[in-house]
Amino acid sequence: VRWSDGHWYHAHLQSNSDGRHRVSWDPPYQSWSSEDVAADAVIPRSDQAREVCNFDVALAFVKKLQSMKASIKKQKLQALELVYHWTREENVGKIVENNLKAPGSVNADGTRVEVKNGAVYGAGIYAATNMRFGQAFGGGLSCAFLCLAIPGRITVCAKAAQKLKPTDDSLQHGDLRVFKTSEQLLPLFLTDSQRAG
C-alpha cells in the first residue's frame, strides 16, 4: 500500500460493507494499529497512473550502471533507454516491491517467477520501446510500467526466434527488448497512453 506519507508498506486490505477498507499491517509493521480508510483516499488502484520507484530497486540499478560504466564507455554502448512493460493486475504489487524479474528468479516473499507468455527470444525480462507493443499482456490493465533500462551489450535480432546470447546483456528486435537481469531495469511509473506521449 502506498500510504499518505508517500512510502510503500506491506499491508492486508479487507473491504468493509460501508465501502471503506480495513488496512492491517504486515511485518515489520504489525504493531501498528489497523485503520479504516476510504476506498479512494490513499490506496491507488492498479490501473491508476502513478510513481512506483522503489529505493532498493533504484540502488541496485545504480550499482549495475556503475559496474557497466567502463564497458559502456569503452565499447560506445547505449547507456540508457526508456522501455515499457505490460503485466496483469495481480503482478503489479510484486513488481513494485521486487522489480521485474527473469523467469526462475525468486521474489522477497519466496514466490518463484514463472514463464507466463513463452520465451521466444530466450529467458529474460520482456519490454518494449513502444508503449502499445505488448499491451495484450496487460490483461485489460490500462497502465504499463515505464522503466529506465541499461541495454549494455546487445544481441540485435534480425530474424524471429533468435535468442538472447549468453555473452550479451539484452536483445533488440524492432521495438521489443529482452533484458538478462533485473538490475538492468528501474520501474519509475505506471503510466497510461495519455501520459506516455
Side-chain angles (χ1 to χ4, degrees), residues 70-141:
S71 64
I72 289 170
K73 188 174 183 180
K74 183 179 179 182
Q75 298 174 31
K76 297 182 179 161
L77 304 173
Q78 180 180 345
L80 299 172
E81 70 178 339
L82 290 174
V83 296
Y84 300 91
H85 177 84
W86 286 94
T87 192
R88 296 186 168 280
E89 185 172 2
E90 59 268 21
N91 300 326
V92 170
K94 286 191 184 210
I95 292 170
V96 171
E97 288 300 317
N98 301 282
N99 199 359
L100 295 157
K101 300 260 186 187
S105 301
V106 178
N107 289 314
D109 65 1
T111 57
R112 189 172 230 24
V113 177
E114 304 293 333
V115 175
K116 297 287 185 185
N117 300 298
V120 171
Y121 296 95
I125 303 155
Y126 285 62
T129 54
N130 178 339
M131 184 178 178
R132 299 205 191 306
F133 188 96
Q135 189 169 358
F137 297 115
L141 200 63

Side-chain angles (χ1 to χ4, degrees), residues 2-113:
R2 181 140 194 206
W3 207 239
S4 56
D5 64 0
H7 294 94
W8 289 94
Y9 299 97
H10 289 275
H12 289 283
L13 302 176
Q14 182 176 12
S15 297
N16 295 336
S17 59
D18 64 357
R20 295 171 63 81
H21 290 292
R22 183 77 170 165
V23 180
S24 57
W25 305 100
D26 287 348
Y29 313 109
Q30 70 271 19
S31 63
W32 295 359
S33 299
S34 295
E35 299 181 47
D36 287 327
V37 297
D40 60 356
V42 263
I43 303 162
R45 305 292 172 268
S46 294
D47 64 349
Q48 285 181 319
R50 64 185 185 277
E51 175 267 326
V52 295
C53 193
N54 172 317
F55 177 82
D56 295 323
V57 172
L59 183 60
F61 178 84
V62 170
K63 285 180 179 180
K64 182 69 168 181
L65 183 58
Q66 289 295 324
S67 75
M68 295 175 75
K69 185 176 168 183
S71 64
I72 289 170
K73 188 174 183 180
K74 183 179 179 182
Q75 298 174 31
K76 297 182 179 161
L77 304 173
Q78 180 180 345
L80 299 172
E81 70 178 339
L82 290 174
V83 296
Y84 300 91
H85 177 84
W86 286 94
T87 192
R88 296 186 168 280
E89 185 172 2
E90 59 268 21
N91 300 326
V92 170
K94 286 191 184 210
I95 292 170
V96 171
E97 288 300 317
N98 301 282
N99 199 359
L100 295 157
K101 300 260 186 187
S105 301
V106 178
N107 289 314
D109 65 1
T111 57
R112 189 172 230 24
V113 177

